[in-house]
Amino acid sequence: MARQAIRILGIDPGLRRTGWGVVEVDGTRLSFVACGSVVTDDKAALAVRLVTIHDGLVGVVGDFAPHEAAVEATFVNRDASATLKLGQARGVALLVPARLGLTVAEYAPNSVKKTVTGTGHAEKAQIRAMIRYLLPKAAPKTADAADALAVAITHAHHRRARILSACYAR
């Protein structure tokens, strides 16, 4: 029986920039497909910015045809207004792949950092360095795109662990 490569879309939600990254997993081989950011206009109304994120992610799914998606969980901070707006952008990031029929997983920021770098409190520079190591062809232009690739890598590792657990549970 032939094994099929699985394409994973990782999303790092943000109201200014929503990062996205696509990787492909074939057995234990992980390869870079694409990455980028959906950028919104800071001066536009919130609803318009959310539409921009929606349309950008719909385009990414259409262009790269992922099989699964993973979204980074919201980091809660002291600014309730900013947290609420980020939550709305995250809602769009969850909605788009789900509405297009993809399974969507969620990962906490510390889980993503720990999976990719080995420590749950890694700095952005450490994440970018590990992205370059794990995906040599990847050259994310923004931290958001690098973070999205890290989310996709996290999902690739976690899905493999779930599959192996299911095989051994039989």
Side-chain angles (χ1 to χ4, degrees), residues 34-58:
C35 67
S37 298
V38 177
V39 180
T40 67
D41 179 355
D42 288 352
K43 294 175 180 64
L46 177 61
V48 172
R49 295 173 82 180
L50 295 174
V51 167
T52 300
I53 295 167
H54 173 275
D55 293 349
L57 291 176
V58 166

Side-chain angles (χ1 to χ4, degrees), residues 14-79:
L15 192 54
R16 278 186 226 146
R17 278 184 313 278
T18 291
W20 60 269
V22 181
V23 299
E24 199 164 86
V25 182
D26 189 359
T28 58
R29 198 183 88 225
L30 186 66
S31 56
F32 171 73
V33 176
C35 67
S37 298
V38 177
V39 180
T40 67
D41 179 355
D42 288 352
K43 294 175 180 64
L46 177 61
V48 172
R49 295 173 82 180
L50 295 174
V51 167
T52 300
I53 295 167
H54 173 275
D55 293 349
L57 291 176
V58 166
V60 168
V61 172
D63 290 345
F64 299 102
H67 300 101
E68 300 175 9
V71 178
E72 189 171 64
T74 302
F75 177 80
V76 180
N77 58 34
R78 291 189 180 122
D79 183 351

Side-chain angles (χ1 to χ4, degrees), residues 12 31 40 43 79 84 95 126 132 135 158-159 169:
D12 178 34
S31 56
T40 67
K43 294 175 180 64
D79 183 351
L84 181 59
L95 173 72
Q126 289 173 288
R132 283 192 298 274
L135 302 169
H158 284 261
R159 81 179 298 281

